[in-house]
Short mmCIF file of all heavy atoms in Angstrom, two decimals:
data_model
loop_
_atom_site.label_atom_id
_atom_site.label_comp_id
_atom_site.label_asym_id
_atom_site.label_seq_id
_atom_site.Cartn_x
_atom_site.Cartn_y
_atom_site.Cartn_z
N ASN Z 239 46.74 -16.64 65.72
CA ASN Z 239 47.89 -16.37 66.59
C ASN Z 239 47.68 -16.90 68.01
O ASN Z 239 48.56 -16.76 68.86
CB ASN Z 239 48.16 -14.86 66.63
CG ASN Z 239 48.61 -14.32 65.27
OD1 ASN Z 239 49.33 -15.02 64.55
ND2 ASN Z 239 48.20 -13.11 64.94
N GLU Z 240 46.50 -17.44 68.26
CA GLU Z 240 46.21 -17.97 69.60
C GLU Z 240 46.63 -19.45 69.67
O GLU Z 240 46.86 -20.11 68.64
CB GLU Z 240 44.72 -17.85 69.91
CG GLU Z 240 44.22 -16.42 69.97
CD GLU Z 240 44.74 -15.68 71.19
OE1 GLU Z 240 44.96 -16.33 72.23
OE2 GLU Z 240 44.94 -14.44 71.08
N GLY Z 241 46.68 -19.98 70.89
CA GLY Z 241 46.99 -21.39 71.07
C GLY Z 241 45.80 -22.24 70.70
O GLY Z 241 44.84 -22.31 71.48
N ILE Z 242 45.82 -22.84 69.56
CA ILE Z 242 44.69 -23.64 69.09
C ILE Z 242 45.19 -24.99 68.61
O ILE Z 242 46.38 -25.17 68.34
CB ILE Z 242 43.93 -22.93 67.93
CG1 ILE Z 242 44.92 -22.58 66.81
CG2 ILE Z 242 43.19 -21.70 68.42
CD1 ILE Z 242 44.26 -21.94 65.60
N THR Z 243 44.25 -25.93 68.48
CA THR Z 243 44.60 -27.26 68.00
C THR Z 243 44.76 -27.23 66.48
O THR Z 243 44.37 -26.28 65.80
CB THR Z 243 43.51 -28.27 68.37
OG1 THR Z 243 42.31 -27.93 67.67
CG2 THR Z 243 43.27 -28.29 69.88
N GLU Z 244 45.31 -28.31 65.93
CA GLU Z 244 45.51 -28.41 64.48
C GLU Z 244 44.16 -28.39 63.75
O GLU Z 244 44.03 -27.78 62.69
CB GLU Z 244 46.28 -29.69 64.16
CG GLU Z 244 46.62 -29.81 62.67
CD GLU Z 244 47.45 -31.05 62.38
OE1 GLU Z 244 47.98 -31.65 63.34
OE2 GLU Z 244 47.56 -31.40 61.19
N LYS Z 245 43.18 -29.07 64.35
CA LYS Z 245 41.86 -29.11 63.73
C LYS Z 245 41.24 -27.72 63.69
O LYS Z 245 40.67 -27.30 62.67
CB LYS Z 245 40.96 -30.06 64.53
CG LYS Z 245 39.56 -30.23 63.98
CD LYS Z 245 39.57 -30.88 62.61
CE LYS Z 245 38.16 -31.13 62.12
NZ LYS Z 245 38.14 -31.69 60.74
N GLN Z 246 41.38 -27.00 64.80
CA GLN Z 246 40.86 -25.63 64.85
C GLN Z 246 41.58 -24.74 63.85
O GLN Z 246 40.97 -23.88 63.20
CB GLN Z 246 40.99 -25.08 66.26
CG GLN Z 246 40.07 -25.72 67.28
CD GLN Z 246 40.38 -25.27 68.70
OE1 GLN Z 246 41.54 -24.97 69.03
NE2 GLN Z 246 39.35 -25.25 69.55
N SER Z 247 42.87 -24.96 63.71
CA SER Z 247 43.66 -24.17 62.75
C SER Z 247 43.17 -24.39 61.32
O SER Z 247 43.04 -23.43 60.53
CB SER Z 247 45.14 -24.56 62.85
OG SER Z 247 45.90 -23.89 61.87
N GLU Z 248 42.85 -25.64 60.98
CA GLU Z 248 42.35 -25.93 59.64
C GLU Z 248 41.01 -25.25 59.39
O GLU Z 248 40.76 -24.70 58.31
CB GLU Z 248 42.21 -27.45 59.45
CG GLU Z 248 43.54 -28.18 59.37
CD GLU Z 248 43.37 -29.68 59.29
OE1 GLU Z 248 42.18 -30.13 59.31
OE2 GLU Z 248 44.37 -30.41 59.21
N LEU Z 249 40.14 -25.28 60.40
CA LEU Z 249 38.82 -24.65 60.26
C LEU Z 249 38.93 -23.14 60.10
O LEU Z 249 38.24 -22.52 59.29
CB LEU Z 249 37.94 -25.00 61.47
CG LEU Z 249 37.50 -26.47 61.58
CD1 LEU Z 249 36.80 -26.72 62.93
CD2 LEU Z 249 36.58 -26.84 60.42
N ILE Z 250 39.82 -22.57 60.91
CA ILE Z 250 40.01 -21.11 60.84
C ILE Z 250 40.60 -20.71 59.49
O ILE Z 250 40.18 -19.73 58.87
CB ILE Z 250 40.92 -20.63 62.00
CG1 ILE Z 250 40.21 -20.80 63.34
CG2 ILE Z 250 41.32 -19.17 61.80
CD1 ILE Z 250 41.11 -20.57 64.55
N HIS Z 251 41.57 -21.49 59.01
CA HIS Z 251 42.18 -21.20 57.71
C HIS Z 251 41.15 -21.31 56.57
O HIS Z 251 41.12 -20.47 55.65
CB HIS Z 251 43.34 -22.17 57.44
CG HIS Z 251 44.02 -21.93 56.14
ND1 HIS Z 251 44.84 -20.83 55.92
CD2 HIS Z 251 44.01 -22.64 54.96
CE1 HIS Z 251 45.29 -20.88 54.69
NE2 HIS Z 251 44.80 -21.97 54.08
N SER Z 252 40.27 -22.32 56.64
CA SER Z 252 39.22 -22.49 55.63
C SER Z 252 38.26 -21.30 55.65
O SER Z 252 37.87 -20.77 54.61
CB SER Z 252 38.46 -23.79 55.89
OG SER Z 252 37.39 -23.92 54.99
N ALA Z 253 37.89 -20.86 56.86
CA ALA Z 253 37.00 -19.71 56.99
C ALA Z 253 37.66 -18.45 56.43
O ALA Z 253 37.02 -17.63 55.75
CB ALA Z 253 36.60 -19.52 58.45
N TYR Z 254 38.95 -18.32 56.71
CA TYR Z 254 39.70 -17.15 56.22
C TYR Z 254 39.72 -17.13 54.69
O TYR Z 254 39.49 -16.09 54.05
CB TYR Z 254 41.12 -17.20 56.78
CG TYR Z 254 41.96 -15.99 56.42
CD1 TYR Z 254 41.90 -14.82 57.19
CD2 TYR Z 254 42.82 -16.02 55.31
CE1 TYR Z 254 42.65 -13.72 56.86
CE2 TYR Z 254 43.58 -14.91 54.98
CZ TYR Z 254 43.50 -13.77 55.75
OH TYR Z 254 44.25 -12.67 55.41
N GLN Z 255 40.01 -18.30 54.07
CA GLN Z 255 40.06 -18.39 52.61
C GLN Z 255 38.71 -18.06 51.97
O GLN Z 255 38.63 -17.36 50.97
CB GLN Z 255 40.51 -19.81 52.18
CG GLN Z 255 41.95 -20.15 52.51
CD GLN Z 255 42.93 -19.27 51.74
OE1 GLN Z 255 42.69 -18.88 50.61
NE2 GLN Z 255 44.05 -18.94 52.38
N ASN Z 256 37.63 -18.56 52.55
CA ASN Z 256 36.30 -18.29 52.01
C ASN Z 256 35.91 -16.83 52.17
O ASN Z 256 35.22 -16.26 51.32
CB ASN Z 256 35.25 -19.19 52.67
CG ASN Z 256 35.25 -20.58 52.08
OD1 ASN Z 256 34.73 -20.80 50.98
ND2 ASN Z 256 35.85 -21.54 52.78
N ASN Z 257 36.35 -16.23 53.28
CA ASN Z 257 36.10 -14.81 53.49
C ASN Z 257 36.82 -13.97 52.43
O ASN Z 257 36.25 -13.01 51.88
CB ASN Z 257 36.55 -14.41 54.90
CG ASN Z 257 36.21 -12.97 55.23
OD1 ASN Z 257 35.05 -12.61 55.30
ND2 ASN Z 257 37.23 -12.14 55.40
N GLU Z 258 38.07 -14.34 52.13
CA GLU Z 258 38.82 -13.64 51.09
C GLU Z 258 38.16 -13.84 49.73
O GLU Z 258 38.12 -12.92 48.89
CB GLU Z 258 40.26 -14.17 51.03
CG GLU Z 258 41.11 -13.84 52.26
CD GLU Z 258 41.30 -12.33 52.39
OE1 GLU Z 258 41.83 -11.73 51.45
OE2 GLU Z 258 40.91 -11.78 53.44
N ARG Z 259 37.62 -15.03 49.51
CA ARG Z 259 36.96 -15.33 48.24
C ARG Z 259 35.72 -14.45 48.06
O ARG Z 259 35.45 -13.95 46.96
CB ARG Z 259 36.56 -16.80 48.21
CG ARG Z 259 36.09 -17.29 46.86
CD ARG Z 259 36.05 -18.83 46.83
NE ARG Z 259 35.64 -19.29 45.53
CZ ARG Z 259 34.38 -19.55 45.18
NH1 ARG Z 259 33.42 -19.38 46.07
NH2 ARG Z 259 34.08 -19.97 43.97
N ILE Z 260 34.99 -14.25 49.15
CA ILE Z 260 33.80 -13.38 49.08
C ILE Z 260 34.20 -11.97 48.66
O ILE Z 260 33.56 -11.34 47.81
CB ILE Z 260 33.07 -13.35 50.44
CG1 ILE Z 260 32.40 -14.71 50.71
CG2 ILE Z 260 32.03 -12.24 50.48
CD1 ILE Z 260 31.82 -14.83 52.10
N GLN Z 261 35.28 -11.47 49.23
CA GLN Z 261 35.73 -10.12 48.88
C GLN Z 261 36.14 -10.03 47.41
O GLN Z 261 35.83 -9.04 46.73
CB GLN Z 261 36.90 -9.72 49.79
CG GLN Z 261 36.48 -9.34 51.21
CD GLN Z 261 37.59 -8.60 51.94
OE1 GLN Z 261 38.77 -8.87 51.73
NE2 GLN Z 261 37.22 -7.68 52.81
N ARG Z 262 36.82 -11.06 46.92
CA ARG Z 262 37.24 -11.05 45.51
C ARG Z 262 36.03 -11.11 44.57
O ARG Z 262 36.00 -10.44 43.54
CB ARG Z 262 38.19 -12.23 45.23
CG ARG Z 262 39.56 -12.08 45.85
CD ARG Z 262 40.58 -12.99 45.16
NE ARG Z 262 40.17 -14.39 45.19
CZ ARG Z 262 40.42 -15.22 46.18
NH1 ARG Z 262 41.08 -14.79 47.27
NH2 ARG Z 262 40.03 -16.48 46.14
N ILE Z 263 35.04 -11.91 44.94
CA ILE Z 263 33.82 -12.01 44.11
C ILE Z 263 33.11 -10.67 44.04
O ILE Z 263 32.69 -10.22 42.96
CB ILE Z 263 32.88 -13.10 44.67
CG1 ILE Z 263 33.48 -14.49 44.42
CG2 ILE Z 263 31.50 -13.01 44.01
CD1 ILE Z 263 32.68 -15.62 45.06
#
Side-chain angles (χ1 to χ4, degrees):
N239 294 323
E240 296 290 329
I242 54 178
T243 65
E244 184 177 346
K245 182 64 176 177
Q246 290 172 329
S247 176
E248 290 176 359
L249 292 172
I250 293 171
H251 181 72
S252 176
Y254 184 85
Q255 292 295 326
N256 280 284
N257 185 65
E258 292 296 302
R259 190 166 182 268
I260 290 172
Q261 284 196 326
R262 289 200 303 274
I263 289 174

